């Protein structure tokens, strides 16, 4: 700027001054005193005297030192454009705080504490949420669960009903009464042995997947595909008993509370930065599938014990699970909502062993539709039940699909639990 | 960008008066121009570092990033030779965020409980949630604007905003509904009305802002774009009904229909039509942004200041196109690099199938993350910064000599709580 003033130890120099009262710009002279900075006007009159301790530097373009008095309601500003004067000022005034600037130390703190906060939220999600859910779920009134079930049912039906049949349910007036009676008998025998908080309403529906789902409030949907695939009443009973496990444990309510807890925990904390939404969804998916695997394992245990109580072999549940499920890939495993079929069958085997039930004599592969004597259903009842979804008794039996067809729509999700992994995830 | 209700400029054609030779006060200028002095490089550093730290902190760093970016943008915005000052702090923003959480948590819980109810209540609760977010989004936007203005200092005087956020939210919703009902035709008048409200309640010291842009004029400039968009949609509809067989699509839900080879053809036809409409809509969007920006800048008034702009439409469109092309380039090169890397691993290491699956899923996630960050950075650099810069450089302020006599407003209202709701609802931005 002014070459004559650029002597190293300048103690005064030009600057621009705004007094904070009007927007007038004044060219002034700055004097660096012993303990304060003096601003003098063109007639050497004193415009301001700022003790160094009061000063703060404010956001300014490169090469400009913009000073003001910290904490002052009057926004008087002094702009020093002269590099040497700025350097001398620094020497006189010592360290001046930079108002609003993000210091490297602050950055480290922000990163450190954010990581701590996220870690703590994750720990809460992994341990705290399940603990809370386990305590809250039992005290939710049955009436609330049934109401929840009714609203879930509307959505589930909308998703599952492909409209390819006149009616979504099988086993109504149009199907053979014997079939319906056999199905009801099976369900009632199981229900009588189970002590459930709500009455079970079991319905067979037109869906080709080998699966069954339980909704909150005690409604169980058994898919047509499952009845096609079941080789014995015990196998079908095993799956229905598993669903009753979900009803007994009130897993539908549990899932709703879990989902709300998780989205609350992460949705609030993690704002909308690029990829943030994806991070929230990914975390929720991972945690929910892990909750879900535990839930499924305990429903398996419940189902196996229920079957054992009826003095039948729970291994039938393991058999049908093994037959239907594929082997998931390693990555898919942590995303699975259900444990692997092998693990499930092993756990069921352990329960059967504990209950002192010997494995059925016939090798698994040779089992036919015949149930051992004194089974859950008679042969003729079982035969009738297998035909439950055929429109009229005289119709030729429908060709049974050998593999579950892939559902065009995303089928059940966390609000209602299927006994079996969805075909999409098991095919990995 | 419309957030920055403070750029007062005058056209460059008026030559600045020679500064008075007298030493006493204040050099006199009759007209002043805007000038952006910040180097791209410095901003890129702020944005890149911010993006990385946001990932590491799961987004919590955003308050510090926003503050850094604003300090840079404000300080490098020179009007008539003096630069703006951003006097906000990240801690204020963070506090505001905490307040927003405190306010929103009960609402969130209530809405959740409502959604568990049956029938009417559940529907009322979703309508309630939508209405609440709509009103509060606008409310929060107005509050956030107030925060930014009170944290903007120019020549020792700060800006501020009066007016009621609630009243603004009501206006905004009303105009939003009218715009929707008129299929967009009311948009210019909606903009004009809202800008009039905002500017009339914007103050620089004792000066009051004013918005002089006219909705009718904006309509005249933009109605062509509206027609183009409508024509494109109608044409797409006509083409679709003529060439796409709806029966094939209807059958897609059935197992047999899903395997029909004709389905792929029909779907690709629809995708083609969709692509065409998207391209037209994209071009219309860019041009509309440019038109609105010009119209807005030229409508700004502060006290006696009259602002004019030399902003070119093609420069704004160029900024968008550049961002788009860079994003394509980024996506292309990233996929190339990943496929080559995977290919090398596959050939050299011959991993078992399991490991291969993990690698593929892992690299897809990496690509997603890098793309998300990359596009955000590109957007900030090539659109946000560039348009800010173009806007600042394009303005001139007539009557600038009056700037010497603006008095500070003695009753300085300012909020100490940042942009709380706005940030929590995503209206923060730079």
């Amino acid at each position: 700027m002014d070459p004559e003033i650029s002597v190293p130890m300048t103690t005064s120099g030009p600057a621009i001054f705004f007094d904070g009262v009007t927007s007038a710009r004044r060219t002034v002279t700055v004097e660096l005193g012993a303990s304060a900075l003096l601003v003098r006007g063109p007639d050497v009159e004193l415009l301001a005297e700022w003790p160094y301790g009061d000063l703060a530097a404010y956001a300014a373009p490169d090469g400009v030192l913009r000073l003001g008095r910290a904490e002052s309601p009057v926004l008087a500003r002094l702009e020093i454009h002269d590099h040497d004067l700025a350097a001398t000022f620094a020497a006189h005034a010592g360290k001046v705080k930079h108002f609003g600037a993000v210091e490297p130390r602050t950055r480290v703190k922000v990163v450190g504490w954010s990581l701590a906060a996220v870690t703590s939220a994750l720990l809460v999600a992994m341990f705290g949420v399940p603990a809370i859910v386990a305590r809250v779920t039992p005290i939710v009134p049955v009436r609330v669960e049934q109401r929840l079930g009714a609203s879930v049912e509307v959505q589930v039906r909308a998703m599952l009903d492909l409209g390819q049949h006149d009616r979504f349910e099988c086993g109504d007036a149009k199907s053979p009464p014997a079939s319906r009676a056999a199905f009801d008998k099976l369900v009632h025998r199981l229900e009588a042995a189970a002590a459930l908080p709500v009455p079970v309403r079991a319905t067979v529906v037109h869906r080709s997947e080998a699966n069954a789902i339980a909704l909150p409030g005690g409604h169980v949907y058994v898919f047509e595909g499952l009845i096609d695939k079941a080789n014995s009443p015990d196998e079908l009973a095993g799956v229905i008993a598993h669903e009753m496990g979900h009803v007994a444990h009130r897993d539908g309510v549990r899932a709703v509370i879990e989902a709300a807890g998780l989205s609350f925990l992460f949705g609030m904390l993690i704002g909308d930065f690029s990829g943030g939404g994806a991070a929230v969804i990914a975390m929720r998916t991972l945690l929910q599938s892990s909750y879900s695997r535990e839930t499924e394992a305990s429903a398996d245990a419940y189902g196996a014990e229920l079957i054992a109580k009826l003095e039948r072999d729970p291994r039938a549940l393991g058999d049908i699970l093994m037959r239907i499920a594929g082997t998931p890939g390693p990555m898919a495993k942590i995303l699975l909502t259900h444990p692997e079929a092998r693990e499930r069958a092993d756990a069921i085997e352990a329960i059967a062993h504990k209950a002192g039930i010997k494995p059925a004599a016939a090798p698994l592969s040779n089992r036919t539709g015949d149930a051992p004597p004194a089974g859950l259903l008679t042969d003729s009842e079982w035969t009738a039940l297998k035909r439950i979804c055929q429109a009229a008794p005289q119709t030729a039996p429908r060709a049974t699909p050998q593999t579950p067809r892939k559902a065009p729509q995303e089928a059940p999700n966390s609000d209602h639990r299927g006994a079996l992994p969805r075909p999409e995830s098991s095919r990995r | 960008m419309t957030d920055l209700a403070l750029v007062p400029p005058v056209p460059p054609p008026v030559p600045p008066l020679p500064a008075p030779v007298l030493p006493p006060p204040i050099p006199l200028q009759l007209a002043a121009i805007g000038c952006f002095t910040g180097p791209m490089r410095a901003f890129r550093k702020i944005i890149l570092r911010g993006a990385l730290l946001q990932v590491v902190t799961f987004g919590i760093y955003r308050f510090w990033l926003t503050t850094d970016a604003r300090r840079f943008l404000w300080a490098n915005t020179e009007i008539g030779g003096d630069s703006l000052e951003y006097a906000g702090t990240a801690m204020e923003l963070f506090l505001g965020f905490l307040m927003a959480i405190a306010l929103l948590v009960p609402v969130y819980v209530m809405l959740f409980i409502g959604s568990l109810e049956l029938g009417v209540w559940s529907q009322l609760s979703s309508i309630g949630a939508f209405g609440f977010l709509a009103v509060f989004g606008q409310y929060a936007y107005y509050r956030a604007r107030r925060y930014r203005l009170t944290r903007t200092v120019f020549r020792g005087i700060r800006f501020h905003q009066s007016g009621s956020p609630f009243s603004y939210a009501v206006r905004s919703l009303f105009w939003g509904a009218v715009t929707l009902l008129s299929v967009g035709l009311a948009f210019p008048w909606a903009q004009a009305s809202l800008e009039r409200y905002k500017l009339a309640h914007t103050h620089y010291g004792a000066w009051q802002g004013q918005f002089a842009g006219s909705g009718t004029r904006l309509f005249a400039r933009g109605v062509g774009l509206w027609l183009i968009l409508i024509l494109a949609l109608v044409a797409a509809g006509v083409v679709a009904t003529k060439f796409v067989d709806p029966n094939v699509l209807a059958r897609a839900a059935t197992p047999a229909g899903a395997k029909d080879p004709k389905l792929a053809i029909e779907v690709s036809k629809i995708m083609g039509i969709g692509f065409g409409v998207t391209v037209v809509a994209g071009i219309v969007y860019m041009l509309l942004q440019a038109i609105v920006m010009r119209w807005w800048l030229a409508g700004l008034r502060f006290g006696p200041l009259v602002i004019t702009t030399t902003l070119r439409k093609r420069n704004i469109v160029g900024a968008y196109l550049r961002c788009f092309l860079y994003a394509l380039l980024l996506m292309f090169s990233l996929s190339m690099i990943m496929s080559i890397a995977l290919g090398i691993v596959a050939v050299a290491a011959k991993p078992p199938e399991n490991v291969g699956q993990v690698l593929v899923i892992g690299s897809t996630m990496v690509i997603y993350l890098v793309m998300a960050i990359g596009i955000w950075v590109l957007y900030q650099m090539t659109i946000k910064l560039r348009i800010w810069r173009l806007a600042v450089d394009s303005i001139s302020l007539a009557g600038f000599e009056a700037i010497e006599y603006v008095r500070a407003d003695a009753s300085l209202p300012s909020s100490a709580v940042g942009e709380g709701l706005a940030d929590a609802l995503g209206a923060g931005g730079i």
Side-chain angles (χ1 to χ4, degrees):
Chain A
M1 279 208 164
D2 197 340
E4 271 130 331
I5 308 186
S6 59
V7 189
M9 273 316 282
T10 333
T11 51
S12 76
I16 293 166
F17 182 64
F18 301 103
D19 64 9
V21 177
T22 73
S23 60
R25 176 213 266 160
R26 299 173 206 214
T27 308
V28 294
T29 308
V30 174
E31 275 177 40
L32 301 172
S35 63
L37 174 154
L38 307 174
V39 180
R40 292 192 185 279
D43 301 327
V44 204
E45 76 277 26
L46 187 63
L47 294 176
E49 179 172 357
W50 290 348
Y52 291 133
D54 285 4
L55 292 179
Y58 291 89
D62 274 353
V64 176
L65 176 62
R66 184 179 271 160
L67 296 170
R69 296 182 77 165
E71 320 283 338
S72 165
V74 180
L75 304 178
R77 293 289 186 262
L78 182 73
E79 291 182 5
I80 300 177
H81 292 247
D82 182 306
H83 179 75
D84 293 329
L85 185 59
T88 319
F89 167 79
H92 271 76
K95 200 169 155 45
V96 170
K97 107 173 163 208
H98 285 253
F99 180 85
V102 184
E103 316 260 344
R105 204 154 28 109
T106 316
R107 246 174 232 127
V108 172
K109 266 195 204 162
V110 172
V111 171
W113 283 108
S114 304
L115 286 180
V118 170
T119 311
S120 135
L122 271 176
L123 289 177
V124 168
M126 281 192 289
F127 304 107
V129 171
I132 291 169
V133 167
R135 281 160 186 76
V136 169
T137 307
I139 58 174
V140 173
V142 168
R143 217 170 47 83
V144 172
E145 179 177 344
Q146 280 170 333
R147 237 172 11 181
L148 177 68
S151 72
V152 170
E153 190 174 342
V154 176
Q155 298 164 20
V156 170
R157 282 191 70 118
M159 271 193 302
L160 294 182
D161 188 357
L162 298 182
Q164 292 164 32
H165 300 271
D166 300 342
R167 302 215 33 190
F168 183 43
E169 285 95 349
C170 314
D172 54 17
K174 284 188 192 164
S175 58
S179 308
R180 180 73 219 184
F183 181 71
D184 286 345
K185 180 181 170 195
L186 188 65
V187 172
H188 289 150
R189 282 203 64 180
L190 288 166
E191 196 178 358
L196 296 177
V198 285
V200 165
R201 280 179 303 144
T203 314
V204 185
V205 294
H206 283 297
R207 266 314 271 204
S208 53
E209 297 92 344
N211 206 347
I213 58 175
L215 308 185
H219 203 155
V220 172
Y221 281 160
V222 177
F223 291 6
E224 184 184 354
L226 181 72
I227 295 188
D228 289 341
K229 279 263 171 160
N231 283 346
S232 71
D234 285 358
E235 288 188 355
L236 182 58
V239 176
I240 296 175
H242 166 101
E243 297 308 327
M244 284 182 177
H246 285 312
V247 174
H249 299 148
R250 309 183 71 181
D251 288 331
V253 179
R254 185 186 286 246
V256 172
I257 301 177
E258 270 167 9
L262 284 186
S263 56
F264 183 73
L265 202 57
F266 292 108
M268 277 284 178
L269 176 69
I270 301 178
D272 58 329
F273 75 101
S274 46
V280 173
I281 293 171
M283 252 186 245
R284 269 187 52 176
T285 312
L286 286 181
L287 284 161
Q288 271 178 341
S289 357
S290 103
Y291 296 165
S292 167
R293 283 194 302 272
E294 287 164 31
T295 312
E296 294 303 327
S298 64
D300 276 350
Y302 182 96
E305 277 157 20
L306 182 59
I307 298 288
K309 221 190 263 180
L310 292 170
E311 303 188 336
R312 303 296 306 166
D313 186 0
R315 291 179 189 86
L317 173 57
D319 293 346
I320 189 167
L321 292 178
M322 288 295 288
R323 186 139 31 82
I324 289 164
T327 318
M331 196 67 190
K333 199 168 162 182
I334 57 167
L335 291 170
L336 276 186
T337 52
H338 291 64
E340 263 191 276
R342 183 73 259 167
E343 288 169 31
R344 298 175 74 177
D346 290 347
I348 293 164
E349 166 70 38
I351 290 168
H353 186 76
K354 213 169 121 197
I357 294 175
K358 298 245 158 61
L364 298 184
S365 51
N366 289 356
R367 279 196 196 168
T368 62
D370 306 322
L376 294 169
L377 295 178
T378 63
D379 284 0
S380 57
E381 279 170 338
W382 177 237
T383 317
L385 193 145
K386 291 281 273 184
R387 278 207 294 265
I388 194 167
C389 280
Q390 285 151 30
Q394 63 271 35
T395 316
R398 289 182 35 179
T400 324
Q402 283 313 295
T403 50
R405 273 178 252 132
K406 191 164 174 164
Q409 276 163 298
E410 172 73 357
N413 62 31
S414 55
D415 285 348
H416 31 77
R417 315 231 139 211
L420 304 166
R422 279 171 246 154
E424 293 92 310
S425 43
S426 63
R427 290 264 191 80
R428 282 245 138 86
Chain B
M1 192 62 204
T2 4
D3 305 336
L4 204 216
L6 13 119
V7 230
V10 176
V14 191
L17 286 201
V21 190
L22 295 174
I26 326 153
L28 194 64
Q29 283 179 301
L30 286 187
I33 56 166
C35 174
F36 190 79
T37 57
M40 279 287 218
R41 229 173 332 114
F43 192 67
R44 186 160 53 217
K45 188 179 158 202
I46 291 173
I47 291 295
L48 274 176
R49 182 179 57 200
L52 292 178
L53 288 180
Q54 283 213 83
V55 172
V56 175
T57 61
F58 287 82
I60 294 174
Y61 185 73
R62 65 184 178 278
F63 311 106
W64 285 266
L65 166 61
T66 304
T67 302
D68 261 355
R70 284 186 192 163
R71 284 170 64 91
F72 175 86
L73 290 175
W74 266 237
N76 289 297
T77 298
E78 238 181 58
I79 294 156
D82 290 306
S83 66
L84 296 177
E85 171 190 326
Y86 181 71
T89 67
M91 203 43 89
E92 288 171 345
L93 292 182
F94 187 56
L95 273 179
F97 164 72
L98 293 181
M99 280 182 59
I101 288 193
L103 286 174
L104 286 179
V105 165
V107 178
Y108 178 94
V109 171
M110 267 160 30
L111 291 174
F112 172 68
I113 293 174
S115 71
L116 291 184
E117 301 290 322
L118 257 192
V120 184
W121 281 111
S122 138
Q123 274 162 10
L124 274 186
S125 121
S126 15
I127 295 171
F130 182 78
F132 174 82
L133 287 181
V135 174
F136 256 70
Q138 294 305 311
Y139 180 94
Y141 164 79
Y142 199 74
R143 288 279 311 245
R145 186 175 181 274
R146 173 164 176 266
Y147 173 80
R148 282 193 297 273
L149 285 171
T150 56
R151 295 300 181 274
T152 302
V153 181
F154 182 57
R155 297 174 62 125
I157 307 271
R158 75 168 48 160
F159 287 78
H160 69 271
Q161 175 181 284
S162 52
S164 134
F166 188 70
S167 162
Y168 177 80
V170 170
R171 269 156 212 272
S172 177
L173 286 189
F174 165 75
W175 279 113
V178 173
T179 305
L180 213 62
L181 290 177
S182 64
V183 204
L185 278 176
F187 174 78
W189 290 281
Q191 286 299 101
S193 167
L194 293 177
E195 289 304 323
R196 272 199 299 275
Y197 186 86
K198 283 191 277 188
L199 262 296
H201 292 95
T202 303
H203 309 267
Y204 171 63
W207 278 4
Q208 192 179 11
Q210 188 203 334
F211 188 71
S214 118
T216 312
R217 181 167 299 178
L218 180 60
F219 176 81
R221 290 186 197 160
V223 68
L225 291 178
W226 184 84
L227 278 175
I228 291 173
L229 191 60
I230 296 292
L231 280 179
L233 287 173
V234 170
V238 170
V239 172
T241 41
K242 251 196 148 149
F243 295 100
V244 180
D245 180 1
N247 296 327
V248 176
L249 293 171
R251 279 201 309 273
T254 66
K259 286 188 193 124
D260 191 338
K262 273 196 226 136
L263 182 63
I265 299 172
E266 298 304 308
V267 168
S268 52
K269 276 187 208 161
I270 289 188
M271 281 169 63
I273 295 169
F275 179 74
V277 172
T278 311
V279 168
V280 175
I283 294 170
V284 164
Y285 174 81
M286 294 187 291
L287 287 169
L288 183 69
Q289 291 295 313
I291 289 173
V292 172
M293 171 70 74
R294 262 191 77 101
W295 170 80
W296 179 74
L297 282 172
L300 296 175
R301 303 286 180 272
F302 265 94
L305 291 187
V306 174
I307 293 166
T308 52
T309 175
T310 55
L311 191 68
R312 300 269 175 118
K313 258 191 269 181
R314 59 164 177 258
N315 288 341
I316 300 279
V317 172
Y320 280 99
L321 281 182
R322 190 188 300 242
C323 181
F324 182 67
L325 288 180
Y326 282 165
L328 276 187
L329 204 65
L330 177 68
M331 190 149 56
F332 179 73
S333 44
L334 207 58
S335 327
M336 285 295 281
I337 292 171
M338 277 299 180
S339 339
I340 291 173
L342 282 181
I344 291 172
V345 170
V347 173
K350 294 211 168 45
E353 197 193 338
N354 289 348
V355 181
Q357 270 184 345
V358 173
L359 280 179
V360 170
I361 296 178
S363 54
T364 312
M365 280 159 68
V366 169
I367 291 183
Y368 174 82
L369 195 66
V370 175
M371 276 309 291
I373 299 170
I375 288 180
W376 184 82
V377 170
L378 276 178
Y379 176 76
Q380 300 294 327
M381 293 300 303
T382 56
I383 296 186
K384 270 275 168 72
L385 174 64
R386 188 165 290 270
I387 289 184
W388 180 290
R389 188 182 180 146
L390 287 169
V392 171
D393 283 342
S394 78
I395 56 173
S396 315
L397 300 83
F400 199 69
E401 67 280 6
I403 198 86
E404 296 295 348
Y405 312 109
V406 186
R407 297 194 68 81
D409 193 326
S411 57
L412 272 183
S414 79
S415 154
V417 292
E419 298 174 7
L421 290 168
D423 180 79
L425 298 171
I430 294 172

